[in-house]
Every structure is written in C-alpha cells, then in structure tokens.
C-alpha cells in the first residue's frame, strides 16, 4: 500500500472529505490531493513534507510515525 492510499484510507475512515482535512490542517486542498496521489513535490521540500504528514496524521488519529516511515521508504 502506498503512502497516498494509506492517507486516503485513514481520511475516509475518519469520515472526512478533502475539504474537511484541508480546514483541519490548513493545508491547501490541491496539495492534499497531490499528497494522496503520492506527489510530494508541491510540499516545498522533505522537511515540509514531513511536517504536513505529521499534521495530517494527528488530525486523522493516526500515529505520525506510520506515515513518516512510509514516506522514508
């Protein structure tokens, strides 16, 4: 399972839309869509990507390390 699909699955399990997650995390909807498509180029670098992943995980009730480990792989 890819990181993007893990995030999508967690978001759907939390009954959140992309717009809901965007409002909760203050991450642009377009960037969230890119992240869910496994594209991290728009994050502004690896440090920002990791920060976004931590933010997303916390809002979805997922251990941030789960997403960070998948990102590293």
């Amino acid at each position: 399972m890819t990181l993007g699909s893990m995030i999508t699955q967690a978001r759907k399990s939390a009954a959140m839309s992309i717009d809901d997650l965007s409002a909760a995390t203050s991450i642009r909807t377009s960037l969230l869509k890119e992240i869910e498509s496994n594209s991290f180029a728009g994050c502004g670098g690896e440090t920002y990507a990791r920060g976004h992943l931590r933010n997303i995980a916390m809002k979805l009730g997922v251990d941030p390390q789960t997403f960070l480990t998948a990102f590293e792989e």
Side-chain angles (χ1 to χ4, degrees), residues 32-52:
L32 286 172
K33 288 179 182 178
E34 288 177 24
I35 290 171
E36 286 192 359
S37 297
N38 294 303
S39 175
F40 299 91
C43 290
E46 286 190 24
T47 301
Y48 288 107
R50 286 186 190 92
H52 290 324

Side-chain angles (χ1 to χ4, degrees), residues 17-32:
S17 69
I18 287 274
D19 291 331
D20 294 335
L21 187 57
S22 176
T25 61
S26 298
I27 299 172
R28 295 183 325 272
T29 302
S30 60
L31 182 55
L32 286 172

